[in-house]
Amino acid sequence: MQSPALIEFAGNCLSVLKKSLLAVAPEEGCALLIGEERQSSTFEKKSLWEVKLIWPCRNVWEQGKFPLNENLTKNTGSKKHPLSKENRFVIDPQEQLIAQKWARKRHWKVLGSAHSHPQEQALPSEIDCSSSLAPGLMIILGKEGEIRAWWMQAKKTCPPIEVPIMESR
């Protein structure tokens, strides 16, 4: 899978994304991005991913249930932010399957995920990078309201590649 050249948010999707991620603050909010891939007329032979729908999700992270994230935090020695939903998120796999089935019926697909960093900038954390199992799109909303798109690498390397965002009306 190759990184898109541009992420385009259709209609009010960007506004809906920001509001849904902020609704659960100070916890990290999360959502799935549903839409379609198409060829860009601006970028030669590059794909443009158009987000047509935001699928808000519940953060199901729980202490002790996701040891990968917990070990990473302990290894980095982060005493400033103890493990909690304020600095961790997990999207329910069952919810992901429901969203995928819903999207397929409309000939769309789940393009990626989004989450907030209520206490940090819109940059992928070490945990974001290491939790990425395959190449894919991750959008992050930072504490100042900034939103950035990232192409996460397959080899779990940081830094990922930033992808430009555009809002269409």
Side-chain angles (χ1 to χ4, degrees), residues 4-169:
L6 179 71
I7 305 301
E8 181 178 3
F9 283 89
N12 67 346
C13 283
L14 193 55
S15 175
V16 169
L17 178 62
K18 287 181 178 182
K19 287 178 183 178
S20 67
L21 294 177
L22 291 171
V24 296
E27 293 181 0
E28 285 196 5
C30 50
L32 295 171
L33 310 165
I34 296 177
E36 61 187 349
E37 296 178 34
R38 56 186 169 85
Q39 291 298 318
S40 171
S41 57
T42 310
F43 298 97
E44 278 185 34
K45 298 182 182 179
K46 297 273 184 164
S47 66
L48 176 141
W49 289 13
E50 184 179 13
V51 177
K52 295 182 173 234
L53 182 107
I54 303 302
W55 187 287
C57 299
R58 190 171 65 90
N59 182 349
V60 296
W61 183 88
E62 289 180 33
Q63 181 82 31
K65 193 173 180 181
F66 304 99
L68 172 66
N69 287 353
E70 292 170 19
N71 290 338
L72 283 170
T73 300
K74 288 176 187 171
N75 290 339
T76 61
S78 177
K79 294 179 183 176
K80 184 172 141 187
H81 302 292
L83 294 172
S84 75
K85 286 185 178 181
E86 291 183 14
N87 53 31
R88 300 292 174 268
F89 84 99
V90 172
I91 297 173
D92 185 343
Q94 187 174 13
E95 193 168 9
Q96 291 178 45
L97 289 172
I98 292 167
Q100 287 174 346
K101 288 178 183 179
W102 184 93
R104 273 192 218 121
K105 286 181 183 178
R106 287 149 183 85
H107 305 287
W108 292 347
K109 65 189 245 180
V110 175
L111 299 173
S113 66
H115 70 282
S116 59
H117 282 180
Q119 302 170 16
E120 304 293 332
Q121 294 179 335
L123 301 170
S125 67
E126 180 183 349
I127 290 173
D128 292 336
C129 293
S130 63
S131 298
S132 181
L133 301 176
L137 177 65
M138 179 182 287
I139 295 189
I140 303 173
L141 174 68
K143 67 180 179 179
E144 303 296 326
E146 72 279 17
I147 195 156
R148 296 170 77 180
W150 301 93
W151 183 254
M152 306 304 286
Q153 303 293 325
K155 297 177 182 174
K156 302 179 182 184
T157 57
C158 269
I161 301 164
E162 188 165 9
V163 181
I165 294 176
M166 179 175 91
E167 187 173 9
S168 67
R169 295 283 169 189

